[in-house]
């Protein structure tokens, strides 16, 4: 099953590579915004996006993001995925 989790784009990290920082329930993750990018990447900052395996797949509104996060929490899938993301972030930083 593919799981996309809402995250808020917080900054553009590399305009040339179309990369941005996203906050996914408190976990910061660099993601590609190539699938959702317009002419002005800075317009994405503050927007909610559906994040899947390092890509912002679609821009969603805040209400949809909150409803989706709540549904995922209710199902228990979000927590497991976020724990895996945290573990991979710690491993990348060498802090396993």
């Amino acid at each position: 099953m593919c799981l996309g989790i809402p995250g808020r784009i917080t900054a553009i990290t590399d305009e040339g590579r179309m990369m941005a920082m996203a906050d996914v329930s408190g976990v910061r993750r660099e993601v590609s915004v190539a699938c959702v990018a317009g002419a002005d990447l800075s317009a994405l900052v503050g927007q909610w996006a559906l994040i899947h395996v390092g890509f912002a797949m679609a821009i969603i509104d805040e209400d949809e993001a909150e409803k989706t996060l709540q549904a995922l929490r209710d199902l228990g899938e979000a927590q497991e995925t976020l724990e895996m993301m945290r573990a991979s972030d710690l491993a990348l930083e060498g802090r396993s």
Side-chain angles (χ1 to χ4, degrees), residues 16 21-22 28 34 39 43 48 63 73 77-78 89:
M21 188 61 63
R28 294 182 48 162
W48 284 91
D63 185 53
R73 282 185 205 106
E77 293 179 5
D89 285 349

Side-chain angles (χ1 to χ4, degrees), residues 9 12 14-19 33-34 36-45:
I9 305 296
I12 302 303
D14 187 332
E15 195 167 326
R17 291 179 38 236
M18 294 188 177
M19 298 297 288
V33 292
V36 297
D40 181 13
L41 289 183
S42 66
L44 293 173
V45 175

Side-chain angles (χ1 to χ4, degrees), residues 29 85-96:
R29 167 76 91 212
M85 288 172 66
R86 282 188 187 100
S88 70
D89 285 349
L90 291 174
L92 286 173
E93 295 173 4
R95 297 188 294 155
S96 55

